[in-house]
Amino acid sequence: MTRRRSSYRSLRSLQRDLRVCRACVEAGFPLESLPVVHGHEGQRAYLLGQAPGWVEGEERRPWRGRAGRTLRRWLEMDEEEFYATFYCASVTRCYPGRSPGGRGDRTPAPREQELCAFWREWELRLLRPGLIVTVGGLAARRLLGLTRLGDCVGRLLAYGDAAAIPLPHPSGASGWLNDPANRALVAKAAALVRAELDRLSGAASPTPPPPLRHRAGTDT
């Protein structure tokens, strides 16, 4: 049975409940992995993707497949630096399975996205990141309310007190990256991410926030 507390005082207790979450399965959705969780206290950069792929679901670690290698190449990071830098999250946390049409992975249903929003909201409250990087159109829509990648990739935005920088998804499933102008936007966005990480590297860690009450089933 999925457990969700009304409030969390620590990231450790939140992750303990998240790792065994079965809320979407209990709601009737066909998932093919347990939740993928990666991150720790003190990380100031928060990376939000769409959902784990099959490799990530199998290994229970984010960004392990080809898309992850492409993302790290954009950011000019090796694996060790990438995982040490980013708290890795996603709109939904379990591998959703293949698309019924056979091309790519299934896009999580709106209800799945709503059920998983609980974990994201508490992660952001507890971590208070200074930088949020969204990867892919779904993450940009759910967190930032953005609808067109071309209008937001390459821009430095704000999410509360944090800097927010959208990136496209590096999977290659869409043709968006085939346009040289769009690839130039990705290079600009990656440079913004690196600049914000440099800025954060000298910043002091924030004071942990007081516990907040939360009503399950809401989104940001």
Side-chain angles (χ1 to χ4, degrees):
M1 178 68 69
T2 295
R3 178 181 179 181
R4 298 186 181 197
R5 304 181 188 184
S6 60
S7 65
Y8 286 91
R9 293 179 177 271
S10 74
L11 192 62
R12 179 176 296 182
S13 63
L14 177 78
Q15 289 179 334
R16 183 171 57 244
D17 288 349
L18 170 55
R19 284 190 173 96
V20 295
C21 178
R22 296 278 79 190
C24 291
V25 172
E26 291 161 6
F29 293 99
L31 302 181
E32 298 190 14
S33 80
L34 289 167
V36 175
V37 183
H38 174 85
H40 55 79
E41 296 277 4
Q43 287 181 297
R44 301 295 316 284
Y46 186 89
L47 188 83
L48 185 71
Q50 174 171 303
W54 74 267
V55 175
E56 291 78 11
E58 182 74 18
E59 297 188 14
R60 302 287 296 279
R61 196 177 190 194
W63 299 107
R64 296 298 296 156
R66 183 171 61 181
R69 293 192 293 272
T70 299
L71 178 61
R72 288 188 287 275
R73 186 176 72 248
W74 287 351
L75 299 175
E76 299 179 4
M77 290 181 169
D78 60 23
E79 284 192 16
E80 182 178 1
E81 182 183 10
F82 176 79
Y83 290 116
T85 298
F86 288 105
Y87 187 102
C88 296
S90 48
V91 174
T92 60
R93 307 304 172 97
C94 304
Y95 173 49
R98 298 289 291 175
S99 169
R103 178 174 171 80
D105 296 334
R106 179 177 68 85
T107 300
R111 180 57 180 155
E112 291 174 279
Q113 298 172 34
E114 293 165 3
L115 287 168
C116 250
F118 175 91
W119 305 113
R120 180 180 75 240
E121 291 170 4
W122 272 104
E123 285 167 343
L124 292 173
R125 289 173 179 178
L126 292 167
L127 285 166
R128 288 187 173 180
L131 171 64
I132 297 172
V133 178
T134 61
V135 183
L138 181 61
R141 287 194 299 274
R142 294 300 295 188
L143 189 67
L144 305 176
L146 303 171
T147 57
R148 284 175 44 84
L149 285 175
D151 294 338
C152 61
V153 175
R155 295 176 57 194
L156 181 64
L157 307 172
Y159 182 84
D161 294 332
I165 301 174
L167 286 170
H169 201 283
S171 69
S174 76
W176 194 85
L177 289 168
N178 294 335
D179 188 332
N182 291 338
R183 292 197 296 272
L185 291 176
V186 173
K188 182 178 179 181
L192 288 172
V193 171
R194 292 191 295 271
E196 286 300 305
L197 290 174
D198 287 343
R199 181 183 64 81
L200 285 175
S201 65
S205 297
T207 302
L212 298 176
R213 296 193 64 82
H214 178 88
R215 180 170 59 87
T218 60
D219 202 353
T220 51

